[in-house]
Amino acid sequence: MCGRGGGDGPRGEFGGDGVGAESDHPAQLATAERDGHPARIGAEAATPEETFETVASGLGVHLLAAGNAAIYARPDITCRPVRGLSPCSLTIAWRHGDRRPQVHAFVAACLDAARPGARAQRAAAPASPGNRRPAG
């Protein structure tokens, strides 16, 4: 979750009650975890840049995939992990008939990563030239 403010203060520092929503997708609004309480939309945005501008201006908070927190890091917003939310699904889409090997390799890698038990297998696999894991 990203919100306005800085430092390592409590989660309540986010200011604003709304959720900056790019859509009303249930996972983006944590619908399943809201116990029937509707999300209060503080602003809507069409791009990631607009989304984080609304957060930085104090119009609300935004649920963000944990892996994207570093990508969208800014000095005027704070991102914190949120526990207890349902997993979010992603979809891969590509142009019909696209024969580029890079596209097919990416799709195959995503399908492999999504396979049950794949994360544990990757973590247990030794690093080798064909199986390099990024440092850090």
Side-chain angles (χ1 to χ4, degrees), residues 42-101:
E44 291 193 28
T47 66
E49 293 78 17
E50 287 179 9
T51 298
F52 295 109
E53 282 300 314
T54 62
V55 171
S57 67
L59 292 174
V61 299
H62 176 74
L63 291 175
L64 175 71
N68 289 340
I71 295 169
Y72 294 113
R74 294 172 39 149
D76 54 350
I77 62 174
T78 300
C79 293
R80 300 249 194 263
V82 177
R83 306 210 193 302
L85 296 181
S86 301
C88 184
S89 299
L90 298 176
T91 301
I92 306 169
W94 63 96
R95 187 177 56 230
H96 179 73
D98 194 325
R99 290 182 164 62
R100 291 178 291 171

Side-chain angles (χ1 to χ4, degrees), residues 109 111-128 131 133:
L111 292 172
D112 182 54
R115 198 171 24 89
R119 175 178 261 176
Q121 287 176 343
R122 282 191 306 277
S128 67
N131 183 26
R133 290 190 298 254

